[in-house]
Amino acid sequence: MAGFAQRARRALVTTGENAQHSAAADSVPGLTPQEVRVARLAVEGLTNAEIGARLFISAKTVQYHLGKVFSKLGIKSRNQLQDAAARRYL
């Protein structure tokens, strides 16, 4: 088991995550942790393909998650997503 844990830690480090990362840090009421991660990367200006590469998901899956985020936050664009982030929703 220790070997698997070490391997997982190395994999997380390569993606920029931290093994001690708290799920509460990704908590936004109404959004899943994956939706929060996708939204935050979109706010940083990454394209769907870039977000997908970072999170090891397809660009189409990123599009799906962003659609859910937009719907849940009552917004329609990435510009409005920037505004939501500025209001500390993300």
Side-chain angles (χ1 to χ4, degrees), residues 49-71:
E50 292 168 333
I51 295 168
R54 283 237 186 126
L55 299 178
F56 302 104
I57 58 177
S58 72
K60 197 76 165 161
T61 301
V62 171
Q63 180 181 351
Y64 169 80
H65 285 304
L66 281 176
K68 300 292 277 182
V69 169
F70 289 178
S71 175

Side-chain angles (χ1 to χ4, degrees), residues 13-74:
V13 168
T14 62
T15 64
E17 292 292 330
N18 181 336
Q20 302 301 320
H21 184 73
S22 168
D26 282 341
S27 173
V28 173
L31 299 181
T32 67
Q34 185 76 329
E35 290 168 349
V36 172
R37 285 188 287 275
V38 167
R40 286 183 176 155
L41 291 172
V43 166
E44 290 178 19
L46 277 67
T47 65
N48 287 3
E50 292 168 333
I51 295 168
R54 283 237 186 126
L55 299 178
F56 302 104
I57 58 177
S58 72
K60 197 76 165 161
T61 301
V62 171
Q63 180 181 351
Y64 169 80
H65 285 304
L66 281 176
K68 300 292 277 182
V69 169
F70 289 178
S71 175
K72 289 177 179 182
L73 295 180

